[in-house]
Short mmCIF file of all heavy atoms in Angstrom, two decimals:
data_model
loop_
_atom_site.label_atom_id
_atom_site.label_comp_id
_atom_site.label_asym_id
_atom_site.label_seq_id
_atom_site.Cartn_x
_atom_site.Cartn_y
_atom_site.Cartn_z
N ILE L 1262 2.96 -7.63 11.33
CA ILE L 1262 2.74 -8.40 10.09
C ILE L 1262 1.26 -8.50 9.76
O ILE L 1262 0.82 -8.29 8.63
CB ILE L 1262 3.44 -9.80 10.20
CG1 ILE L 1262 4.94 -9.68 10.26
CG2 ILE L 1262 3.02 -10.67 9.01
CD1 ILE L 1262 5.65 -9.14 9.03
N LEU L 1263 0.51 -8.85 10.82
CA LEU L 1263 -0.95 -9.05 10.53
C LEU L 1263 -1.74 -7.75 10.39
O LEU L 1263 -2.74 -7.71 9.73
CB LEU L 1263 -1.58 -9.81 11.74
CG LEU L 1263 -1.28 -11.31 11.81
CD1 LEU L 1263 -1.89 -11.89 13.07
CD2 LEU L 1263 -1.84 -12.01 10.59
N ALA L 1264 -1.15 -6.62 10.88
CA ALA L 1264 -1.91 -5.37 10.80
C ALA L 1264 -2.17 -5.00 9.37
O ALA L 1264 -3.24 -4.42 9.04
CB ALA L 1264 -1.13 -4.26 11.55
N GLU L 1265 -1.16 -5.22 8.47
CA GLU L 1265 -1.28 -4.72 7.10
C GLU L 1265 -2.40 -5.46 6.32
O GLU L 1265 -3.22 -4.81 5.72
CB GLU L 1265 0.05 -4.81 6.39
CG GLU L 1265 1.07 -3.77 6.96
CD GLU L 1265 2.26 -3.67 6.10
OE1 GLU L 1265 2.46 -4.44 5.08
OE2 GLU L 1265 3.17 -2.79 6.40
N PRO L 1266 -2.40 -6.76 6.22
CA PRO L 1266 -3.52 -7.41 5.51
C PRO L 1266 -4.89 -7.17 6.12
O PRO L 1266 -5.86 -7.06 5.44
CB PRO L 1266 -3.15 -8.91 5.52
CG PRO L 1266 -2.16 -9.07 6.59
CD PRO L 1266 -1.42 -7.79 6.66
N LEU L 1267 -4.94 -7.04 7.46
CA LEU L 1267 -6.23 -6.69 8.09
C LEU L 1267 -6.64 -5.26 7.74
O LEU L 1267 -7.85 -4.99 7.66
CB LEU L 1267 -6.15 -6.93 9.60
CG LEU L 1267 -5.90 -8.40 10.05
CD1 LEU L 1267 -5.79 -8.50 11.56
CD2 LEU L 1267 -6.97 -9.33 9.49
N PHE L 1268 -5.67 -4.42 7.59
CA PHE L 1268 -5.97 -3.01 7.23
C PHE L 1268 -6.57 -2.93 5.79
O PHE L 1268 -7.40 -2.05 5.53
CB PHE L 1268 -4.66 -2.20 7.32
CG PHE L 1268 -4.90 -0.70 7.00
CD1 PHE L 1268 -5.69 0.06 7.78
CD2 PHE L 1268 -4.22 -0.10 5.93
CE1 PHE L 1268 -5.85 1.42 7.52
CE2 PHE L 1268 -4.39 1.22 5.66
CZ PHE L 1268 -5.18 1.99 6.43
N VAL L 1269 -6.19 -3.89 4.98
CA VAL L 1269 -6.74 -3.90 3.56
C VAL L 1269 -8.30 -4.11 3.68
O VAL L 1269 -9.01 -3.48 2.92
CB VAL L 1269 -6.16 -5.10 2.78
CG1 VAL L 1269 -6.94 -5.37 1.48
CG2 VAL L 1269 -4.68 -4.86 2.47
N LEU L 1270 -8.74 -4.89 4.68
CA LEU L 1270 -10.13 -5.04 4.83
C LEU L 1270 -10.83 -3.71 5.29
O LEU L 1270 -11.93 -3.42 4.82
CB LEU L 1270 -10.45 -6.10 5.92
CG LEU L 1270 -9.87 -7.49 5.69
CD1 LEU L 1270 -10.32 -8.42 6.75
CD2 LEU L 1270 -10.24 -8.02 4.31
N ASP L 1271 -10.14 -2.92 6.13
CA ASP L 1271 -10.67 -1.63 6.53
C ASP L 1271 -10.78 -0.68 5.31
O ASP L 1271 -11.77 0.00 5.19
CB ASP L 1271 -9.77 -1.02 7.59
CG ASP L 1271 -9.77 -1.68 8.92
OD1 ASP L 1271 -10.86 -2.31 9.24
OD2 ASP L 1271 -8.83 -1.71 9.68
N LEU L 1272 -9.75 -0.72 4.46
CA LEU L 1272 -9.80 0.13 3.30
C LEU L 1272 -10.99 -0.28 2.43
O LEU L 1272 -11.75 0.61 1.91
CB LEU L 1272 -8.51 0.05 2.49
CG LEU L 1272 -7.24 0.63 3.16
CD1 LEU L 1272 -6.02 0.30 2.34
CD2 LEU L 1272 -7.42 2.14 3.30
N ASP L 1273 -11.13 -1.50 2.18
CA ASP L 1273 -12.26 -2.04 1.31
C ASP L 1273 -13.56 -1.72 1.95
O ASP L 1273 -14.51 -1.28 1.24
CB ASP L 1273 -12.08 -3.57 1.13
CG ASP L 1273 -13.15 -4.12 0.21
OD1 ASP L 1273 -13.10 -3.84 -1.00
OD2 ASP L 1273 -14.04 -4.90 0.70
N ASN L 1274 -13.71 -1.93 3.27
CA ASN L 1274 -15.00 -1.57 3.96
C ASN L 1274 -15.36 -0.14 3.86
O ASN L 1274 -16.53 0.27 3.98
CB ASN L 1274 -14.94 -2.06 5.42
CG ASN L 1274 -14.90 -3.56 5.58
OD1 ASN L 1274 -15.39 -4.23 4.65
ND2 ASN L 1274 -14.43 -4.06 6.69
N ASN L 1275 -14.34 0.71 3.70
CA ASN L 1275 -14.56 2.18 3.61
C ASN L 1275 -14.55 2.63 2.18
O ASN L 1275 -14.27 3.84 1.95
CB ASN L 1275 -13.50 2.90 4.44
CG ASN L 1275 -13.84 2.83 5.98
OD1 ASN L 1275 -14.71 3.47 6.47
ND2 ASN L 1275 -13.11 1.90 6.67
N LYS L 1276 -14.79 1.75 1.24
CA LYS L 1276 -15.02 2.11 -0.15
C LYS L 1276 -13.79 2.57 -0.90
O LYS L 1276 -13.90 3.22 -1.97
CB LYS L 1276 -16.10 3.21 -0.26
CG LYS L 1276 -17.41 2.93 0.50
CD LYS L 1276 -18.04 1.61 0.05
CE LYS L 1276 -19.34 1.42 0.85
NZ LYS L 1276 -19.97 0.03 0.60
N PHE L 1277 -12.59 2.25 -0.45
CA PHE L 1277 -11.39 2.42 -1.21
C PHE L 1277 -11.33 1.38 -2.31
O PHE L 1277 -11.81 0.23 -2.16
CB PHE L 1277 -10.12 2.32 -0.30
CG PHE L 1277 -9.86 3.57 0.39
CD1 PHE L 1277 -10.52 3.89 1.60
CD2 PHE L 1277 -8.89 4.47 0.00
CE1 PHE L 1277 -10.23 5.04 2.30
CE2 PHE L 1277 -8.59 5.64 0.68
CZ PHE L 1277 -9.27 5.90 1.89
N LYS L 1278 -10.83 1.79 -3.47
CA LYS L 1278 -10.73 0.93 -4.60
C LYS L 1278 -9.25 0.77 -5.07
O LYS L 1278 -8.46 1.62 -4.71
CB LYS L 1278 -11.58 1.48 -5.80
CG LYS L 1278 -13.04 1.71 -5.44
CD LYS L 1278 -13.80 0.49 -5.15
CE LYS L 1278 -15.27 0.73 -4.82
NZ LYS L 1278 -15.94 -0.48 -4.35
N ASN L 1279 -9.01 -0.23 -5.97
CA ASN L 1279 -7.67 -0.40 -6.54
C ASN L 1279 -6.59 -0.35 -5.46
O ASN L 1279 -5.58 0.32 -5.63
CB ASN L 1279 -7.41 0.63 -7.66
CG ASN L 1279 -8.42 0.49 -8.78
OD1 ASN L 1279 -8.74 -0.57 -9.19
ND2 ASN L 1279 -8.92 1.65 -9.25
N ILE L 1280 -6.84 -1.07 -4.38
CA ILE L 1280 -5.87 -1.13 -3.31
C ILE L 1280 -4.66 -1.97 -3.72
O ILE L 1280 -4.79 -3.10 -4.27
CB ILE L 1280 -6.54 -1.76 -2.03
CG1 ILE L 1280 -7.74 -0.98 -1.66
CG2 ILE L 1280 -5.51 -1.80 -0.89
CD1 ILE L 1280 -8.70 -1.72 -0.71
N GLU L 1281 -3.44 -1.45 -3.50
CA GLU L 1281 -2.25 -2.24 -3.90
C GLU L 1281 -1.26 -2.20 -2.79
O GLU L 1281 -0.95 -1.05 -2.26
CB GLU L 1281 -1.66 -1.62 -5.16
CG GLU L 1281 -0.43 -2.41 -5.63
CD GLU L 1281 0.13 -1.86 -6.92
OE1 GLU L 1281 -0.53 -1.15 -7.62
OE2 GLU L 1281 1.33 -2.19 -7.21
N LYS L 1282 -0.76 -3.32 -2.38
CA LYS L 1282 0.35 -3.39 -1.40
C LYS L 1282 1.68 -3.18 -2.13
O LYS L 1282 1.95 -3.88 -3.11
CB LYS L 1282 0.34 -4.77 -0.74
CG LYS L 1282 1.58 -5.05 0.11
CD LYS L 1282 1.67 -4.22 1.34
CE LYS L 1282 2.85 -4.68 2.17
NZ LYS L 1282 3.72 -3.54 2.59
N LEU L 1283 2.43 -2.14 -1.72
CA LEU L 1283 3.60 -1.77 -2.46
C LEU L 1283 4.85 -2.47 -1.85
O LEU L 1283 4.85 -2.86 -0.71
CB LEU L 1283 3.83 -0.27 -2.42
CG LEU L 1283 2.69 0.59 -3.00
CD1 LEU L 1283 2.95 2.07 -2.74
CD2 LEU L 1283 2.50 0.32 -4.47
N SER L 1284 5.87 -2.54 -2.68
CA SER L 1284 7.17 -3.04 -2.17
C SER L 1284 7.73 -1.99 -1.21
O SER L 1284 7.36 -0.78 -1.31
CB SER L 1284 8.17 -3.28 -3.37
OG SER L 1284 7.67 -4.19 -4.28
N LYS L 1285 8.63 -2.40 -0.37
CA LYS L 1285 9.20 -1.46 0.60
C LYS L 1285 10.05 -0.43 -0.10
O LYS L 1285 10.09 0.73 0.43
CB LYS L 1285 10.02 -2.24 1.64
CG LYS L 1285 9.14 -3.10 2.57
CD LYS L 1285 10.01 -3.62 3.67
CE LYS L 1285 9.15 -4.43 4.66
NZ LYS L 1285 8.10 -3.67 5.35
N LYS L 1286 10.62 -0.76 -1.20
CA LYS L 1286 11.43 0.27 -1.92
C LYS L 1286 11.54 -0.15 -3.33
O LYS L 1286 11.34 -1.31 -3.72
CB LYS L 1286 12.81 0.43 -1.27
CG LYS L 1286 13.55 -0.88 -0.99
CD LYS L 1286 14.69 -0.58 -0.03
CE LYS L 1286 15.28 -1.89 0.54
NZ LYS L 1286 16.23 -1.68 1.54
N ILE L 1287 11.86 0.85 -4.20
CA ILE L 1287 12.14 0.60 -5.57
C ILE L 1287 13.49 1.16 -5.92
O ILE L 1287 14.02 2.02 -5.16
CB ILE L 1287 11.06 1.22 -6.48
CG1 ILE L 1287 10.94 2.74 -6.25
CG2 ILE L 1287 9.73 0.54 -6.32
CD1 ILE L 1287 10.02 3.46 -7.20
N THR L 1288 14.09 0.70 -7.03
CA THR L 1288 15.36 1.30 -7.40
C THR L 1288 15.18 2.18 -8.67
O THR L 1288 14.57 1.81 -9.59
CB THR L 1288 16.31 0.14 -7.75
OG1 THR L 1288 16.48 -0.74 -6.69
CG2 THR L 1288 17.70 0.67 -8.18
N LYS L 1289 15.65 3.41 -8.49
CA LYS L 1289 15.50 4.42 -9.58
C LYS L 1289 16.85 5.07 -9.77
O LYS L 1289 17.46 5.63 -8.86
CB LYS L 1289 14.47 5.48 -9.17
CG LYS L 1289 13.95 6.29 -10.25
CD LYS L 1289 12.82 5.55 -11.04
CE LYS L 1289 12.15 6.45 -12.06
NZ LYS L 1289 11.18 5.75 -12.84
N ASN L 1290 17.36 4.96 -11.05
CA ASN L 1290 18.68 5.55 -11.30
C ASN L 1290 19.79 5.07 -10.38
O ASN L 1290 20.59 5.83 -9.89
CB ASN L 1290 18.64 7.09 -11.35
CG ASN L 1290 17.62 7.64 -12.37
OD1 ASN L 1290 17.51 7.11 -13.41
ND2 ASN L 1290 16.96 8.71 -11.99
N GLY L 1291 19.72 3.76 -10.08
CA GLY L 1291 20.70 3.17 -9.21
C GLY L 1291 20.58 3.45 -7.74
O GLY L 1291 21.42 3.06 -6.93
N LYS L 1292 19.51 4.18 -7.33
CA LYS L 1292 19.33 4.54 -6.00
C LYS L 1292 18.04 3.91 -5.39
O LYS L 1292 16.97 3.92 -6.11
CB LYS L 1292 19.15 6.09 -5.87
CG LYS L 1292 18.98 6.61 -4.44
CD LYS L 1292 18.80 8.12 -4.45
CE LYS L 1292 18.65 8.65 -3.06
NZ LYS L 1292 18.34 10.12 -3.01
N GLN L 1293 18.08 3.39 -4.19
CA GLN L 1293 16.95 2.73 -3.58
C GLN L 1293 16.08 3.81 -2.94
O GLN L 1293 16.54 4.67 -2.20
CB GLN L 1293 17.36 1.70 -2.55
CG GLN L 1293 17.97 0.46 -3.21
CD GLN L 1293 18.06 -0.67 -2.20
OE1 GLN L 1293 18.32 -0.43 -1.01
NE2 GLN L 1293 17.92 -1.92 -2.67
N ILE L 1294 14.77 3.76 -3.25
CA ILE L 1294 13.88 4.79 -2.80
C ILE L 1294 12.76 4.11 -1.95
O ILE L 1294 12.11 3.17 -2.44
CB ILE L 1294 13.22 5.53 -3.91
CG1 ILE L 1294 14.36 6.28 -4.73
CG2 ILE L 1294 12.13 6.48 -3.48
CD1 ILE L 1294 13.85 6.76 -6.11
N LYS L 1295 12.58 4.53 -0.72
CA LYS L 1295 11.63 3.89 0.25
C LYS L 1295 10.19 4.33 -0.15
O LYS L 1295 10.02 5.52 -0.48
CB LYS L 1295 11.96 4.27 1.64
CG LYS L 1295 13.32 3.82 2.12
CD LYS L 1295 13.58 4.25 3.58
CE LYS L 1295 14.90 3.72 4.08
NZ LYS L 1295 16.00 4.40 3.42
N LEU L 1296 9.28 3.46 -0.05
CA LEU L 1296 7.86 3.70 -0.36
C LEU L 1296 6.97 3.47 0.81
O LEU L 1296 7.36 2.82 1.86
CB LEU L 1296 7.42 2.80 -1.50
CG LEU L 1296 8.13 2.91 -2.83
CD1 LEU L 1296 7.59 1.84 -3.79
CD2 LEU L 1296 7.97 4.35 -3.42
N ALA L 1297 5.76 3.98 0.77
CA ALA L 1297 4.69 3.72 1.74
C ALA L 1297 4.19 2.30 1.58
O ALA L 1297 4.56 1.63 0.64
CB ALA L 1297 3.57 4.75 1.60
N ASP L 1298 3.29 1.87 2.43
CA ASP L 1298 2.79 0.53 2.43
C ASP L 1298 1.84 0.27 1.30
O ASP L 1298 1.83 -0.78 0.66
CB ASP L 1298 2.12 0.18 3.75
CG ASP L 1298 3.11 0.15 4.95
OD1 ASP L 1298 4.24 -0.36 4.74
OD2 ASP L 1298 2.77 0.65 6.03
N PHE L 1299 0.97 1.23 1.01
CA PHE L 1299 -0.09 1.03 0.05
C PHE L 1299 -0.38 2.23 -0.77
O PHE L 1299 0.01 3.35 -0.37
CB PHE L 1299 -1.46 0.75 0.82
CG PHE L 1299 -1.44 -0.45 1.70
CD1 PHE L 1299 -1.19 -0.34 3.07
CD2 PHE L 1299 -1.78 -1.71 1.16
CE1 PHE L 1299 -1.24 -1.41 3.88
CE2 PHE L 1299 -1.79 -2.81 2.00
CZ PHE L 1299 -1.52 -2.66 3.35
N LYS L 1300 -0.98 2.01 -1.92
CA LYS L 1300 -1.68 3.11 -2.60
C LYS L 1300 -3.07 2.60 -2.91
O LYS L 1300 -3.31 1.36 -3.06
CB LYS L 1300 -0.99 3.45 -3.91
CG LYS L 1300 -0.94 2.43 -4.99
CD LYS L 1300 -0.19 3.00 -6.24
CE LYS L 1300 -0.04 1.97 -7.36
NZ LYS L 1300 -1.31 1.76 -8.08
N ALA L 1301 -4.06 3.48 -2.89
CA ALA L 1301 -5.42 3.12 -3.08
C ALA L 1301 -6.26 4.38 -3.56
O ALA L 1301 -5.77 5.50 -3.37
CB ALA L 1301 -5.98 2.61 -1.77
N GLU L 1302 -7.37 4.18 -4.09
CA GLU L 1302 -8.16 5.24 -4.64
C GLU L 1302 -9.51 5.39 -3.87
O GLU L 1302 -10.07 4.37 -3.50
CB GLU L 1302 -8.45 4.98 -6.14
CG GLU L 1302 -7.16 5.01 -6.96
CD GLU L 1302 -7.41 4.63 -8.44
OE1 GLU L 1302 -8.58 4.54 -8.79
OE2 GLU L 1302 -6.39 4.40 -9.13
N PHE L 1303 -9.88 6.65 -3.70
CA PHE L 1303 -11.14 6.93 -3.02
C PHE L 1303 -11.82 8.14 -3.71
O PHE L 1303 -11.22 9.20 -3.71
CB PHE L 1303 -10.91 7.20 -1.55
CG PHE L 1303 -12.18 7.46 -0.75
CD1 PHE L 1303 -13.04 6.43 -0.42
CD2 PHE L 1303 -12.48 8.73 -0.40
CE1 PHE L 1303 -14.21 6.68 0.30
CE2 PHE L 1303 -13.62 9.04 0.33
CZ PHE L 1303 -14.51 7.99 0.69
#
């Protein structure tokens, strides 16, 4: 649990921008689709 918010600091320290914590899954066309933890720009 703690690894993820602390990892946000690593991303920020390494100049990643627009960091977003994603939901574990989204629903598309009635189907649940698993996602990664984050998206970010570099």
Side-chain angles (χ1 to χ4, degrees):
I1262 294 294
L1263 283 176
E1265 290 189 358
L1267 296 180
F1268 183 63
V1269 169
L1270 303 185
D1271 290 330
L1272 290 173
D1273 184 67
N1274 289 338
N1275 284 283
K1276 312 301 182 188
F1277 279 80
K1278 305 295 182 186
N1279 299 317
I1280 304 163
E1281 182 179 342
K1282 169 69 174 130
L1283 301 175
S1284 301
K1285 290 189 178 298
K1286 50 195 165 187
I1287 57 174
T1288 302
K1289 198 80 172 177
N1290 299 324
K1292 182 182 178 183
Q1293 288 192 328
I1294 298 167
K1295 298 180 178 69
L1296 298 176
D1298 293 320
F1299 300 94
K1300 66 181 178 74
E1302 295 173 11
F1303 181 76

